Every structure is written in structure tokens, then in C-alpha cells.
């Protein structure tokens, strides 16, 4: 283990990330993530997921609980966090999750599945590696040809105020001072920065966050931050490519900008330059994206003529809520909302689309397109209208197309 990695390990073993009781993180549905890419998975055995830098297991334990048929492996260099995660898995009686101490830049002992991992999660880790490009290349090597990496790295522009504060702390405190002794004086700098460099940013209140979060933000022994050109470069060097954003709406000019000339100018840029424009103006603090092998690509769009033979499922990241009034004539649905990935709820006016969503809400599991069309016909929707509704539901990510059901 190189010197930086062993200092990173010391830091996270003293302050295992994140603080607090383990909670479930929602999302991370394996079939949904695979549905975004364009290769039908070959293997018929259980799906295999790697959490690269799993920390205390917050993400992986939740995913393993929700997806008992999927096999999970969490790796980290932090022995304290791994022991805690193992314990939590035992207490929950989870038989589908294992943990292992391993350095991402070597992946020793992970015994990768012969066909590779279907999904790799790596949230908040790659930017702490002494050689991020080596870590990403290792992950690429153990990714299945149809595999998807769910990646979160720090974004340079949005974190600049925090980086400046950390640099100011570095000027003040000797390098060899024990980490725990640095916390108090560093908090004093953060309290000053609240009124200046951190004012108005999401990091303004850093001076009062818990010690684990504070050390991670301002006393981290090694971190790199990425802008889009630099991230694209390391992905390419690792044999990977951008697939889609975790939250595409955050990167869509049509969602961010009012209709008009400016939006049109931005939309006339290449996709890459649209992303660069958005990161420069909106300054996200993290880049959360799905990536795939360089020779894979985004799933081809659904064609209307393929609806009948396609299998659909409700997006597991959607929450549908109905407001029902009891009347003398029976129940009347007065309100129908849906929320995707915790975004603002969208209300649907009554009409064929809302009725179709109500029908879908009560269907369990996957449905063949032609059965869906028949179900919509029973509520008076014509075949062309049903097809149009299904196309629209796929476009809005209410329905998705699992590869293997
Ligand atoms: C900010 S924490 C994120 C933990 C977890 N992914 C989460 O989101 O809660 C970063 C984690 O990366 C781990 N890490 C850093 N360098 C690593 C390396 N070379 N190999 C494996 N894990 C590493 C740390 O030990 C720490 O648990």
C-alpha cells in the first residue's frame, strides 16, 4: 500500500464515513441501471454487484435488503468500517452480501465473477485514490461487457470555496499535527469562512457538522476534484465512457433554462459542451453519472412497432400517490401525483394518461407490451392512444424496459 493510501486509511479508520446510524439509501436498482445500456446481459446466474469503497456499508446494506436475489460484495481499505458493515449484515440476517478489505487500485482477493460484475457502485471514493486512473482501470477490468458503473466524484467548480478553505487551514496547521488535534482550529477557520468564502454556498455551515463529515470535507489527506473534460479524459483512459447522468434533469437545458434564445444557443452546442456550459454556470458540487465500457452505448430508443413484444415494468424509483374522495356514488380519484427519484411531484390532470397510470400502479412485476395495451383498452383507450401513452411513459421514465424478466 503506498504512503498516501495508508494515510487515507488512517484517516478513515479514525473517522469512518459516514457518521450516524446506518440508514438505507434508496435507489440502486440493478435491473433499472442495466436497462439504460444497450447490451442484453448474457449470463443467467444471479446478478453480481461490487461496491468499490463501501465505507460503513450504508449504500450496499440497503440495496442488499431490497434485492435479495442479487449478490453484493463491498470492498474498502477501512478495516473498522468493514467490521461494522459485516456486523450490520449479520444483524439483519443478510445472506447475499459479503465484505472484503481490499485496495481499489489492486483489487486483491476479490475473486471477480468470470463474466465480470453487472453493476459497480463507487460513491465518493475515486477522488481519494493516490492514482484515480489506476482505480478506474481496475474497475473497468472487472466490469461485465454489459456492466454499468454508478459513479460519484467531486466536482471542481462547485467545491472551489471548500478547497480554498481547506488550503487556508493547511497554511495554518503543521502537516504532522495529529488529525484529531486539527479539528478544533480547523473549525475556527470554517467559522470565519462562513461569512466569506463559504457564504451562500451549500458548505456555509461546515463549521458545525459532525467530526466525521468535517474531516472528510476540510481535513482530507487526499482528494482530487473533477471538471467534465478531466473526468471524460480519465474515463477514456480506463476504457470507459459516459452513459447518462444520475439525474438527467439537472443537465437538460430544456429543464434548466426558460424557452428563448439562450436555451436555443445552448441546445445548439454539442452534448459535451452543453454539459460544460451547465457545470460552469450551475456549479454542481458532485458529478453523479452512470458509465459503461467504451464499446457499449445508451439503449436504443423504443420504437412504436416494438411495443407489443417488449417487456415493461414500473420504474422502481417512482412513487405514485392518489387522492381519493368517498362519494355516495363510490370512490372518486381527485388527485394523481408521481415523484421520480425524490424530485418535485408532478400532478396529472384527469385523462387517458392519468387513467393509464392508475392501471399500472396496481400491476405487480413486469408486463408484456401487448398485455399492457389490452389493459388500457379495458378502460376505453384506443390502441393508437395506448401506444402513444406507453411511448410517453418510457420517455418520462415512468416505465422502463428490463433486459431479463
Ligand atoms: C467518503 S467515504 C465514502 C464511503 C461510501 N462509499 C459512502 O458513500 O458512504 C470514502 C471511502 O473510500 C475508501 N477508500 C479510500 N481509498 C481507498 C482505496 N484505495 N481502496 C478502497 N477503499 C478506499 C475509504 O476508506 C472510505 O471508506
Amino acid at each position: 500500500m503506498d504512503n498516501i493510501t495508508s494515510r487515507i486509511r488512517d484517516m478513515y479508520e479514525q473517522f469512518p464515513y459516514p457518521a450516524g446510524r446506518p440508514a438505507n439509501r434508496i435507489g440502486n436498482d440493478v435491473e433499472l441501471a442495466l436497462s439504460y445500456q444497450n447490451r442484453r446481459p448474457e449470463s443467467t446466474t444471479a446478478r453480481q454487484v461490487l461496491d468499490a469503497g463501501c465505507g460503513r456499508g450504508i449504500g450496499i446494506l440497503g440495496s442488499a435488503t431490497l434485492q435479495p436475489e442479487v449478490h453484493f460484495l463491498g470492498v474498502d481499505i477501512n478495516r473498522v468500517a468493514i467490521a461494522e458493515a459485516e456486523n450490520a449484515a449479520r444483524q439483519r440476517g443478510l445472506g447475499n452480501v459479503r465484505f472484503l478489505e481490499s485496495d481499489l487500485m489492486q483489487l486483491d482477493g476479490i475473486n471477480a465473477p468470470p463474466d465480470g460484475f453487472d453493476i459497480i457502485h463507487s460513491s465518493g471514493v475515486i477522488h481519494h485514490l493516490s492514482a484515480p486512473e489506476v482505480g478506474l482501470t481496475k474497475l473497468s477490468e472487472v466490469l461485465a461487457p454489459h456492466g454499468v458503473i454508478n459513479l460519484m466524484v467531486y466536482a471542481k467548480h462547485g467545491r472551489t470555496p471548500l478547497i480554498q478553505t481547506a488550503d487556508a487551514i493547511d497554511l495554518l496547521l503543521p502537516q504532522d499535527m495529529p488529525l484529531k488535534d486539527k479539528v478544533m482550529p480547523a473549525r475556527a477557520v470554517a467559522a470565519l469562512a462562513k461569512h466569506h468564502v463559504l457564504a451562500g454556498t451549500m458548505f456555509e455551515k461546515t463549521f458545525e457538522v459532525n467530526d466525521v463529515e468535517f474531516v472528510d470535507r476540510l481535513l482530507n489527506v487526499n482528494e482530487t476534484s473533477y471538471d467534465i473534460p478531466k473526468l471524460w479524459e480519465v474515463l477514456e483512459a480506463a476504457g470507459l465512457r459516459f452513459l447518462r447522468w444520475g439525474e438527467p434533469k439537472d443537465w437538460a437545458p430544456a429543464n434548466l433554462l426558460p424557452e428563448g434564445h439562450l436555451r436555443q444557443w445552448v441546445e445548439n452546442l454539442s452534448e459535451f459542451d452543453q454539459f460544460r456550459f451547465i457545470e460552469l454556470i450551475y456549479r454542481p458540487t458532485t458529478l453523479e453519472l452512470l458509465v459503461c465500457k467504451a464499446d457499449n452505448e445508451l439503449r436504443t430508443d423504443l420504437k412504436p412497432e416494438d411495443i407489443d413484444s417488449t417487456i415493461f415494468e414500473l420504474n422502481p424509483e417512482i412513487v405514485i400517490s392518489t387522492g381519493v374522495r368517498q362519494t355516495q356514488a363510490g370512490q372518486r380519484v381527485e388527485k394523481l401525483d408521481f415523484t421520480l427519484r425524490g424530485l418535485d411531484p408532478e400532478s396529472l390532470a384527469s385523462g387517458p394518461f392519468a387513467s393509464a397510470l392508475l392501471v399500472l400502479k396496481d400491476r405487480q412485476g413486469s408486463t408484456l407490451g401487448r398485455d399492457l395495451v389490452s389493459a388500457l383498452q379495458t378502460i376505453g383507450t384506443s390502441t393508437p392512444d395506448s401506444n402513444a401513452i406507453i411511448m410517453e411513459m418510457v420517455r418520462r421514465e415512468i416505465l422502463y424496459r428490463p433486459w431479463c424478466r
Side-chain angles (χ1 to χ4, degrees):
M1 185 176 287
D2 63 71
N3 183 38
I4 292 178
T5 309
S6 99
R7 286 177 55 223
I8 277 281
R9 165 147 86 179
D10 277 355
M11 180 194 92
Y12 278 116
E13 288 192 343
Q14 284 180 65
F15 298 92
Y17 192 90
R21 276 184 56 224
N24 286 349
R25 273 187 199 154
I26 51 160
N28 298 350
D29 187 272
V30 169
E31 293 304 326
L32 180 66
L34 289 175
S35 79
Y36 297 134
Q37 58 76 43
N38 208 28
R39 284 194 178 137
R40 179 176 289 281
E42 294 289 333
S43 81
T44 48
T45 52
R47 299 270 190 247
Q48 303 277 344
V49 176
L50 172 68
D51 191 342
C54 61
R56 296 173 66 225
I58 305 286
I60 192 172
L61 289 168
S63 304
T65 310
L66 293 175
Q67 300 170 89
E69 70 290 358
V70 176
H71 291 185
F72 292 86
L73 170 65
V75 305
D76 204 290
I77 42 168
N78 182 343
R79 294 159 294 188
V80 176
I82 289 281
E84 195 187 327
E86 275 171 343
N87 202 20
R90 248 191 318 274
Q91 278 176 5
R92 293 179 187 207
L94 292 173
N96 59 334
V97 58
R98 292 184 298 126
F99 293 94
L100 184 78
E101 179 201 335
S102 187
D103 178 350
L104 283 199
M105 292 172 292
Q106 289 162 358
L107 288 184
D108 283 345
I110 69 153
N111 199 9
D115 301 331
F117 288 97
D118 298 284
I119 304 287
I120 299 178
H121 289 285
S122 192
S123 179
V125 181
I126 293 295
H127 46 243
H128 295 307
L129 301 185
S130 53
E133 61 293 346
V134 174
L136 270 179
T137 305
K138 279 278 169 201
L139 295 186
S140 170
E141 283 167 11
V142 296
L143 185 69
H146 60 264
V148 172
I149 303 184
N150 198 335
L151 187 69
M152 185 280 267
V153 292
Y154 288 160
K156 182 174 115 187
H157 299 294
R159 291 183 74 84
T160 298
L162 202 61
I163 295 167
Q164 286 174 231
T165 311
D167 287 350
I169 291 170
D170 271 354
L171 279 178
L172 216 56
L173 306 180
Q175 260 221 320
D176 56 357
M177 190 176 184
L179 192 54
K180 62 178 181 15
D181 296 344
K182 287 186 174 179
V183 175
M184 199 268 283
R187 279 193 192 275
V189 178
L192 174 69
K194 168 185 187 285
H195 303 288
H196 303 283
V197 60
L198 296 182
T201 73
M202 68 166 285
F203 303 114
E204 192 169 283
K205 297 215 164 135
T206 295
F207 72 100
E208 62 181 15
V209 297
N210 61 61
D211 280 359
V212 168
E213 188 64 39
F214 187 83
V215 168
D216 191 59
R217 282 190 198 180
L218 282 179
L219 291 171
N220 213 298
V221 301
N222 188 50
E223 70 177 47
T224 319
S225 288
Y226 291 89
D227 60 11
I228 285 175
K230 187 169 156 196
L231 181 58
W232 261 234
E233 223 172 82
V234 285
L235 288 177
E236 192 183 342
L240 298 167
R241 63 174 286 189
F242 170 81
L243 186 61
R244 60 171 262 157
W245 293 109
E247 188 42 78
K249 283 193 171 162
D250 291 346
W251 295 88
N255 189 49
L256 297 168
L257 298 164
E259 230 171 293
H261 289 306
L262 180 57
R263 190 208 280 183
Q264 238 167 31
W265 295 331
V266 176
E267 284 180 337
N268 284 342
L269 296 171
S270 67
E271 185 189 62
F272 178 70
D273 281 346
Q274 288 183 27
F275 294 161
R276 289 180 60 202
F277 180 91
I278 290 164
E279 83 162 342
L280 288 166
I281 297 296
Y282 292 88
R283 294 188 303 171
T285 57
T286 56
L287 298 174
E288 300 181 29
L289 61 162
L290 302 185
V291 305
C292 60
K293 294 270 198 192
D295 57 357
N296 196 358
E297 60 190 349
L298 209 56
R299 183 90 170 261
T300 45
D301 285 342
L302 175 68
K303 296 194 197 78
E305 60 269 30
D306 292 335
I307 288 179
D308 272 5
S309 57
T310 300
I311 288 175
F312 298 95
E313 200 157 299
L314 256 190
N315 187 331
E317 294 178 335
I318 198 167
V319 175
I320 301 169
S321 55
T322 46
V324 179
R325 182 187 289 268
Q326 309 293 335
T327 69
Q328 291 196 337
Q331 290 189 328
R332 199 174 72 197
V333 174
E334 298 221 320
K335 200 165 170 300
L336 184 62
D337 295 334
F338 73 89
T339 310
L340 192 60
R341 294 184 287 274
L343 297 175
D344 290 341
E346 290 186 51
S347 291
L348 294 179
S350 62
F353 194 87
S355 308
L357 189 56
L358 269 184
V359 168
L360 278 167
K361 181 171 100 43
D362 296 326
R363 291 179 87 91
Q364 295 282 317
S366 25
T367 314
L368 194 59
R370 75 170 65 87
D371 296 336
L372 209 51
V373 172
S374 308
L376 298 184
Q377 278 166 347
T378 61
I379 56 163
T381 317
S382 68
T383 303
D385 283 353
S386 299
N387 284 340
I389 287 171
I390 292 171
M391 292 296 290
E392 178 64 3
M393 285 192 173
V394 171
R395 191 190 67 75
R396 291 170 78 169
E397 298 192 10
I398 295 169
L399 286 176
Y400 82 104
R401 295 172 284 161
W403 275 113
C404 298
R405 286 273 203 239

